Amino acid sequence: IGGSANVVVADVVASNGVAHVIDAVLTPSFLGFDLAGLATEAGLTTLVDAAVAAGISEALSDPDNSLTILAPTNDAFAAVEGLADLLMMPDELSALLLYHSFEGIVQSSQLVSGPVSPITNLSMTVEVSDAGVVFTGANSATVTAADVLANNGLVHVIDAVLLPPDSTETEPPMETEPPMETEPPMETEPPTETEPPMETEPPAETEPPTLPSLVDIVVDTEDLSTLETAV
């Protein structure tokens, strides 16, 4: 345990227990380990190797950090398809490990069922029940060892590597109902063709009346007999 101490007075009985007086202050082991050291001490060697490959091991060792880590076991990492290739892709690996990381220290007693926010801000939920604590992203992982303290954070050991949801997947647009079909306008009958006006024959040309000659007028008029004789 972080040092040793000698019992100088034993079996001091109290009303609610027994005390042993010691000659030194014992420090818990986690105060001697940062997150990286704690993971190594706990046998989470694949997590440590992945952190080194992703270039984030220094963050796990930084004493100024305060992080909560969901730490998959070695068996959990071994179940990831294409792990060897993943370890050769630092950007993808870093994003995966940060999906298992939270700002600040979050003890299991502080967890309530609902959404949680890893450093990557990708979707994740936690369900807390009598059966245990289960984190869910694209898949689920159960906490097998909770509240393992380090001097710069806290670890919850989980039995699976959590995969983030596909951030490129978008919901399909809502289907809109097609516009109602409107009835075509009623066909109107074309205007009836009117018959052209009947052609009328031009009025018959009438011959102008034949006027009697002056002689005929004189002959036919009794009062002009003298004139007729003269003519």
Side-chain angles (χ1 to χ4, degrees):
I1 299 180
S4 60
N6 298 311
V7 175
V8 295
V9 180
D11 302 328
V12 180
V13 178
S15 61
N16 62 342
V18 176
H20 301 297
V21 180
I22 58 177
D23 62 1
V25 176
L26 296 172
T27 57
S29 60
F30 68 80
L31 292 180
F33 294 108
D34 54 32
L35 288 168
L38 179 64
T40 301
E41 185 72 12
L44 304 173
T45 53
T46 307
L47 173 62
V48 175
D49 292 343
V52 172
I56 63 171
S57 59
E58 291 184 1
L60 301 181
S61 301
D62 189 343
D64 294 328
N65 277 342
S66 180
L67 302 172
T68 295
I69 304 296
L70 304 180
T73 62
N74 289 349
D75 288 343
F77 272 109
V80 175
E81 185 177 353
L83 177 62
D85 294 333
L86 181 62
L87 292 173
M88 301 297 292
M89 297 183 290
D91 291 341
E92 289 81 356
L93 189 58
S94 175
L96 179 64
L97 295 180
L98 292 177
Y99 185 61
H100 292 71
S101 307
F102 300 82
E103 293 283 357
I105 294 178
V106 184
Q107 297 180 345
S108 59
S109 60
Q110 298 174 286
L111 293 172
V112 293
S113 297
V116 290
S117 299
I119 289 177
T120 56
N121 285 324
L122 295 177
S123 175
M124 182 187 293
T125 60
V126 62
E127 182 179 350
V128 181
S129 67
D130 293 339
V133 178
V134 177
F135 289 89
T136 301
N139 61 323
S140 296
T142 300
V143 174
T144 58
D147 303 328
V148 184
L149 286 169
N151 59 19
N152 63 342
L154 179 144
V155 169
H156 301 301
V157 181
I158 55 177
D159 64 357
V161 176
L162 285 167
L163 302 177
D166 185 358
S167 58
T168 63
E169 184 176 338
T170 56
E171 296 184 0
M174 293 180 62
E175 293 184 1
T176 56
E177 295 184 2
M180 294 179 62
E181 292 184 2
T182 57
E183 295 183 1
M186 294 181 62
E187 293 184 2
T188 56
E189 295 182 0
T192 56
E193 293 183 2
T194 56
E195 296 181 1
M198 294 179 62
E199 293 183 2
T200 57
E201 295 182 359
E205 292 183 3
T206 57
E207 294 182 0
T210 304
L211 296 176
S213 65
L214 291 173
V215 173
D216 292 334
I217 293 172
V218 170
V219 170
D220 293 336
T221 305
E222 293 179 1
D223 292 338
L224 301 177
S225 58
T226 305
L227 177 62
E228 178 187 357
T229 301
V231 172

